[in-house]
């Protein structure tokens, strides 16, 4: 069985809920036959079974969960006697005679077959498909789609299907399912197998509680599964799909909620005091007023901090939305309650930047900050560890190395984690467990500057509360974005030189470091060389890329920030964290190669000061999605709008795939399309668990069983925490 949670087919595995029902497998009404390997089907040997494995099909249960990705409509199928002149139609018929004809026109050969049904014969005609003359045999059942040309009873065939004997109805009547296949397992073979196990499908038990089904007027699972494969009308299929998508999402949401509850049950947090002196002093010393969004988010966080239950909150906000202030607020709340706080970033460079901005923002307050660099020598590190363990450091900043086993905090109460989008559910939980180290779990604030659509947030971060800074601080200017055709390149350089002459600075981003031999990619070193001798000769250029030693990187960033370097030729290493208000041009080479989130992050490096800023995108989008991405960049500066577009362009497969470790796969659900169903599933999951927190009622037993199965991986893992 693939890890889909798609059917309540087999006995439940690990028990999710502590101290509740005995294992529920005995209650399962599923036909146990679905547990059998594919080889029980006639004509399926080991080789075929192995091939089917490529489709994720090992058992009959997997087979029945192998849903079609589309359906072909044969309901317009007509009798020969009913055809009208000029009409396009599908006809099911039997081959009587076949002939190959050459015509007087060169290069035009016709295959003609006399075909017939009970209403009479006609001449089906194919152009230039000689091989068919040998393939079609009198007596074959044939399905043809084409145009009826009346005179001579001739039918111009556009597409056809040669049907085997006996199973004709399966392929030609009503809506025919089309499946993903392999070279050796044809659609017809799959349909044949499915036709055979159809009766088993009709006996599948329903994991959804009967009362819920009735209230939502949803069809039964067994009927839905059959309708997916053998719909009579499009409406059947849509209803069935909706039902199965709902189940998938309900399982996911309920599982996430349960898991969160279990974690919380096992953990105690630290109840922090109400806002105190430090936060007040910090806020009143800021040169600006918090935006309404920042205020709201701080209030949400404040509410969490005063509860004994540890906070698990995601803070979403576009680049420049002002998340840092909120992070500092959270940190100060811990410190003024006599506790310690930590701030972590995924890279050393980013962590260091956070350290400097904290130092700057907090310079007026009596706080003890420390940066835990990975470059510290043991001799430098030892006293820091001692101070941390002794409670003589209030705020520790570093990478995730901060929560390694040899680092002990005296009274850690709050952790801010930046760029959390790089982590999945599992890593987040691991982080919380590590930070707790047996003691109380600190409040955790996860920050991400890559906005994601709400649907995705609910799925990826179903275990978190989500706070969002939607509106930017006032006075932000939109970065003007242009797709620059190659012919206008000289003009673009001229424009950049004007900006440089006016005292501004510029980024040039290239996709690769080294010049590859084939593609004309502009590699950083080569491009910097070229620009220095050409378009930007006489200007001060610098190079920055990921392969440089950290010290060199840091030096280069420092020189750019100080204005000593005017043009920084770089890779995406500058994607996060670089804050140079004087930089006004972001020029991106081969922009079609970057993802939308990445492009948006890169663009966020400019427009941070008082000057008007520009983003110049070069590149030749050769694919539809690349073209859409660039058009999207041009159309909006809003990270959330872009995230929605990204979801539509890419589908969530990739987006989820990158981050979903620990979550069951979504087999049918498509988040961009199934948003409504997701919201409904979320509501229903909440209500269900409120009503029956341990899913202990008999009518919820199968559902509980399914959650166990769908989340089994992550539950194993939970057991080890
Ligand atoms: P990000 O969300 O990307 O971390 P920052 O916290 O770095 O954004 O904020 C970007 C800039 O906006 C900083 O220079 C910060 O001082 C400024 N800023 C933050 N909040 C406000 C506000 N309420 N009003 C004006 N400027 C603000
Ligand atoms: Mg930031």
């Amino acid at each position: 069985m693939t890890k889909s949670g798609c059917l309540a087919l087999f006995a439940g595995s690990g028990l999710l809920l502590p101290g509740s029902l005995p294992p529920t497998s005995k209650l399962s009404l599923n036909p146990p036959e679905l547990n059998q390997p594919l080889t029980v089907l006639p004509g399926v040997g080991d080789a075929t079974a192995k091939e089917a494995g490529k489709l994720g099909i090992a058992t009959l249960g997997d087979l029945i969960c192998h849903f079609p990705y589309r359906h072909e409509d044969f309901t317009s199928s007509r009798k020969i006697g009913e055809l009208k002149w000029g009409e396009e139609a599908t006809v099911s018929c039997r081959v009587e005679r076949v002939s190959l004809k050459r015509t007087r026109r060169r290069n035009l050969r016709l295959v003609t077959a006399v075909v017939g049904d009970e209403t009479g014969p006609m001449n089906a005609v194919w152009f230039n498909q000689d091989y068919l003359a040998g393939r079609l045999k009198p007596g074959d059942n044939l399905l043809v789609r084409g145009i009826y040309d009346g005179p001579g009873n001739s039918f111009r065939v556009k597409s056809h299907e040669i049907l085997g004997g006996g199973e004709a109805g399966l392929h030609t009547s009503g809506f025919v399912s089309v499946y993903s296949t392999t070279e050796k397992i044809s659609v017809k073979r799959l349909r044949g197998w499915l036709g055979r196990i159809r009766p088993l499908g009709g006996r599948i038990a329903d994991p959804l509680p009967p009362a819920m089904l009735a209230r939502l007027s949803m069809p039964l699972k067994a009927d839905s599964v059959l309708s997916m494969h053998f719909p009579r009308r499009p409406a059947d299929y849509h209803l069935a799909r909706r039902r199965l998508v709902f189940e998938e999402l309900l399982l996911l949401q309920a599982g996430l909620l349960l898991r969160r509850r279990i974690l919380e049950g096992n953990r105690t947090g630290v109840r922090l005091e109400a806002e105190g002196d430090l936060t007040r002093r910090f806020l009143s010393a800021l040169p600006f007023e918090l935006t309404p969004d920042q205020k709201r988010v701080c209030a949400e966080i404040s509410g969490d901090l005063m509860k004994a239950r540890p906070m698990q909150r995601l803070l979403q906000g576009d680049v420049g939305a002002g998340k840092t202030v909120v992070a500092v607020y959270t940190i100060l709340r811990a410190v003024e309650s006599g506790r310690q706080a930590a701030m972590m970033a995924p890279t050393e460079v980013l962590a260091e930047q956070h350290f400097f901005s904290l130092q700057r923002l907090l310079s007026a307050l009596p706080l003890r900050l420390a940066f835990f660099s990975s470059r510290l020598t043991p001799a430098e590190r030892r006293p820091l560890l001692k101070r941390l363990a002794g409670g003589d450091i209030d705020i520790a900043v570093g990478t995730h190395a901060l929560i390694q086993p040899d680092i002990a905090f005296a009274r850690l109460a709050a952790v801010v984690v930046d760029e959390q989008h790089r982590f999945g559910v599992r890593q987040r939980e691991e982080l919380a467990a590590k930070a707790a180290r047996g003691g109380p779990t600190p409040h955790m604030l996860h920050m991400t500057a890559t906005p994601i659509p709400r649907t995705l947030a609910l799925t990826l971060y179903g275990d978190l509360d989500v706070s969002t800074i939607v509106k930017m601080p006032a006075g932000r200017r939109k970065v003007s974005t242009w797709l620059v055709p190659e012919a206008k390149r000289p003009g673009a350089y001229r424009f950049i030189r004007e900006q440089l002459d006016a005292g501004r600075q510029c980024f040039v981003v290239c996709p690769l470091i080294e010049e590859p031999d084939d593609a004309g990619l502009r590699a950083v070193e080569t491009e910097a060389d070229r620009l220095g001798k050409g378009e930007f000769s006489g200007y001060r250029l610098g190079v920055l890329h990921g392969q440089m030693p950290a010290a060199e990187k840091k030096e280069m960033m420092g020189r750019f920030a100080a204005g000593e370097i005017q043009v920084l030729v770089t890779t995406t290493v500058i994607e996060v964290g670089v804050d140079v208000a004087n930089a006004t041009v972001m020029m991106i080479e081969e922009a079609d190669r970057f993802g939308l989130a990445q492009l948006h992050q890169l663009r966020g490096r400019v427009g941070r000061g008082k000057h008007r800023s520009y983003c110049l995108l070069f590149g030749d989008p050769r694919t539809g999605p690349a073209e859409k991405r660039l058009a999207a960049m041009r159309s909006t500066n809003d990270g959330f709008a872009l995230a929605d577009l990204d979801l539509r362009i890419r589908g969530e497969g990739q987006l989820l795939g990158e981050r979903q470790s620990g979550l069951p796969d979504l087999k049918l659900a498509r988040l961009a399309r199934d948003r409504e169903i997701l919201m409904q599933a979320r509501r229903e999951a909440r209500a269900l668990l409120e009503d029956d927190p341990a899913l202990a009622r008999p009518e919820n037993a199968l559902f509980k069983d399914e959650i166990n199965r769908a989340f089994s991986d992550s539950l194993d893992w939970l057991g080890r925490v």
Side-chain angles (χ1 to χ4, degrees):
M1 184 88 192
T2 49
K3 195 187 69 175
S4 68
C6 118
L7 282 180
L9 295 180
F10 317 120
S13 46
L15 242 192
L16 171 67
L17 303 171
S20 52
L21 277 182
T24 46
S25 49
K26 278 198 277 313
L27 294 175
S28 172
L29 304 174
N30 286 309
E33 295 93 320
L34 284 174
N35 217 351
Q36 296 170 323
L38 206 59
T39 44
V40 299
L41 293 173
V44 178
D46 287 344
T48 306
K50 193 160 169 235
E51 184 78 7
K54 290 186 195 163
L55 298 171
I57 302 174
T59 63
L60 299 186
D62 297 335
L63 174 61
I64 213 154
C65 284
H66 187 70
F67 293 122
Y69 62 88
R70 68 182 176 89
H71 291 87
E72 242 160 51
D73 183 358
F74 289 124
T75 48
S76 65
S77 170
R78 307 289 295 267
K79 298 290 173 217
I80 291 171
E82 299 165 354
L83 291 172
K84 295 192 194 73
W85 196 351
E87 175 185 51
E88 176 161 341
T90 302
V91 178
S92 175
C93 49
R94 178 183 286 268
V95 177
E96 290 170 11
R97 256 189 342 272
V98 184
S99 59
L100 174 65
K101 285 193 185 123
R102 292 184 190 284
T103 63
R104 263 163 294 160
R105 283 186 21 222
R106 229 155 49 91
N107 297 333
L108 182 64
R109 292 174 309 283
L110 304 177
V111 172
T112 305
V114 178
V115 299
D117 64 11
E118 66 270 23
T119 62
M122 68 175 182
N123 298 309
V125 181
W126 287 260
F127 296 99
N128 293 341
Q129 298 194 45
D130 305 10
Y131 74 97
L132 275 176
R135 181 77 59 85
L136 294 171
K137 297 272 179 302
D140 276 351
N141 286 317
L142 191 65
L143 191 74
V144 289
R145 183 158 187 92
I147 293 173
Y148 183 61
D149 277 339
N153 247 359
S154 89
F155 188 85
R156 243 185 305 145
V157 180
K158 287 181 158 180
S159 65
H160 71 274
E161 194 181 344
I162 304 173
L163 310 169
E167 47 185 46
L170 215 48
H171 304 288
T172 60
S173 60
F175 293 89
V176 171
S177 302
V178 183
Y179 298 90
S180 52
T181 52
T182 73
E183 219 173 292
K184 288 182 197 128
I185 299 179
S186 67
V187 162
K188 277 179 216 166
R189 196 139 183 231
L190 267 173
R191 282 188 207 134
W193 294 343
L194 281 159
R196 235 169 209 291
I197 64 167
R198 186 172 179 156
L200 285 178
R203 285 161 49 206
I204 291 173
D206 211 310
L208 299 192
M212 185 190 289
L213 282 178
R215 184 165 42 80
L216 303 176
S217 317
M218 290 214 176
L220 286 175
K221 175 153 193 165
D223 294 341
S224 304
V225 169
L226 291 183
S227 291
M228 288 296 286
H229 293 294
F230 316 106
R232 278 160 307 162
R233 296 179 295 269
D236 291 352
Y237 164 75
H238 292 303
L239 195 63
R241 181 182 178 278
R242 195 187 155 87
R243 150 68 216 246
L244 295 172
V245 165
F246 174 77
E247 179 179 320
E248 206 169 76
L249 295 172
L250 183 72
L251 276 167
L252 181 69
Q253 291 299 324
L256 286 167
L257 291 172
L258 271 171
R259 187 152 68 166
R260 174 167 174 175
R261 179 162 347 120
I262 290 170
L263 279 173
E264 283 172 354
N266 294 341
R267 296 211 173 124
T268 47
V270 187
R271 198 190 286 270
L272 296 180
E273 284 151 35
E275 238 170 61
D277 189 44
L278 283 180
T279 41
R280 265 195 296 274
R281 280 166 70 188
F282 166 69
L283 292 175
S284 61
L286 283 175
F288 45 74
E289 169 119 18
L290 294 190
T291 63
D293 275 4
Q294 283 170 321
K295 283 185 186 160
R296 175 180 42 78
V297 169
C298 284
E300 286 164 0
I301 291 171
S302 178
D304 288 355
L305 297 178
M306 289 191 289
K307 289 186 188 130
R309 179 189 99 172
M311 169 167 81
Q312 277 288 353
R313 187 170 284 278
L314 176 74
L315 173 58
Q316 283 201 96
D318 213 337
V319 183
K323 295 185 293 298
T324 311
V325 185
V326 176
V328 172
Y329 172 86
T330 310
I331 286 170
L332 291 181
R333 287 293 299 276
V335 178
E336 67 192 0
S337 282
R339 308 272 172 173
Q340 292 168 304
M343 177 139 187
M344 305 194 303
T347 68
E348 179 94 4
V349 172
L350 211 50
E352 196 175 37
Q353 278 171 5
H354 278 311
F355 179 66
F356 290 138
S357 51
L358 287 184
Q359 266 189 330
R360 193 163 30 81
L361 283 164
L362 301 172
S363 57
L365 299 174
L367 295 167
R368 296 158 299 178
L369 275 68
F371 178 55
F372 283 78
S373 169
S374 58
R375 293 194 300 275
L376 293 178
T377 63
E380 291 166 324
R381 191 176 147 90
R382 221 170 293 122
L384 275 185
L385 290 179
K386 204 163 159 227
R387 288 174 59 209
L388 196 63
D392 297 330
I393 289 172
D394 303 307
I395 302 169
V397 183
T399 63
H400 298 96
L402 257 192
I403 50 165
Q404 291 314 300
D406 72 321
I407 302 191
F409 288 79
R411 312 177 285 276
L412 181 63
V415 178
V416 175
V417 191
D418 198 7
E419 295 300 321
Q420 189 56 33
H421 70 279
R422 295 172 188 217
F423 299 116
V425 175
R426 187 174 303 190
Q427 287 101 319
R428 263 194 311 272
E429 285 167 2
E430 218 154 29
L431 211 60
K434 266 191 189 157
R437 193 116 18 90
T441 306
H443 296 287
M444 315 247 339
L445 182 68
H446 308 277
M447 301 201 296
T448 174
T450 305
I452 56 171
R454 183 159 165 73
T455 47
L456 206 57
L458 282 178
T459 308
L460 286 172
Y461 305 129
D463 58 327
L464 299 178
D465 294 308
V466 179
S467 288
T468 306
I469 302 180
V470 183
K471 272 189 80 120
M472 299 282 221
R476 274 308 136 71
R477 286 193 185 215
K478 190 169 171 285
V479 176
S480 308
T481 303
W482 305 98
L483 311 182
V484 187
E486 216 33 55
K488 296 208 173 151
R489 184 176 280 274
Y493 287 127
R494 204 175 317 122
F495 173 78
I496 294 174
R497 284 194 300 267
E498 285 166 17
Q499 290 279 313
L500 299 176
D501 292 341
R504 306 287 82 78
Q505 289 164 281
C506 163
F507 296 101
V508 176
V509 174
C510 310
L512 291 174
I513 308 164
E514 313 227 319
E515 187 76 358
D517 14 291
D518 55 350
L521 295 180
R522 289 167 189 270
V524 174
E525 307 267 10
T526 322
E527 180 67 358
D529 218 43
R530 190 186 74 77
L531 289 171
K533 292 189 190 121
E535 282 87 349
F536 294 141
S537 89
Y539 294 90
R540 300 182 301 276
L541 270 68
V543 171
L544 181 72
H545 58 71
Q547 317 278 291
M548 280 159 59
E552 270 177 46
K553 266 193 263 187
K554 193 176 148 196
E555 192 208 327
M556 186 52 74
M557 297 234 251
R559 290 174 65 197
F560 186 68
E564 205 180 299
I565 300 282
Q566 292 172 288
V567 179
L568 190 62
V569 185
T570 177
T571 58
T572 52
V573 281
I574 55 124
E575 190 188 330
V576 277
V578 174
D579 194 356
V580 178
N582 191 47
T584 55
V585 184
M586 168 60 64
M587 169 171 177
I588 305 177
E589 298 284 359
E590 316 281 338
D592 50 304
R593 291 172 171 264
F594 293 104
L596 204 40
Q598 214 172 17
L599 289 171
H600 179 62
Q601 289 288 321
L602 286 170
R603 180 167 61 183
R605 297 304 112 211
V606 296
R608 300 173 80 84
K610 54 184 183 295
H611 307 288
R612 217 189 139 90
S613 297
Y614 308 86
C615 177
L616 307 180
L617 303 172
F618 285 81
D620 171 18
R622 263 157 286 224
T623 63
E627 202 168 312
K628 282 188 196 151
R629 283 200 298 276
L630 298 189
M633 280 294 287
R634 176 101 178 78
S635 74
T636 179
N637 266 252
D638 177 343
F640 285 95
L642 284 174
D644 262 324
L645 286 167
D646 202 21
L647 182 59
R648 277 172 207 288
I649 296 170
R650 288 209 278 171
E652 72 283 352
Q654 235 174 327
L655 292 169
L656 279 174
E658 287 162 10
R659 311 169 192 161
Q660 78 176 143
S661 86
L663 292 183
D665 297 339
L666 292 180
K667 201 162 179 160
L668 286 170
R670 294 290 167 266
L671 296 178
R673 166 178 170 188
D674 297 322
R675 187 193 157 89
E676 298 307 316
I677 310 181
L678 174 64
M679 298 306 177
Q680 186 185 31
R682 178 98 171 160
R683 279 194 306 275
E684 291 295 332
R686 282 229 156 103
L688 183 67
L689 292 174
E690 225 156 81
D691 194 42
D692 183 12
L695 294 178
R697 299 212 189 114
E699 66 268 28
N700 296 331
L702 280 178
F703 185 68
K704 182 178 130 193
D705 218 24
E706 267 308 282
I707 293 186
N708 267 326
R709 192 169 7 258
F711 280 82
S712 60
D713 281 16
S714 40
L715 293 175
D716 285 357
W717 175 81
L718 272 183
R720 282 187 274 112
V721 172

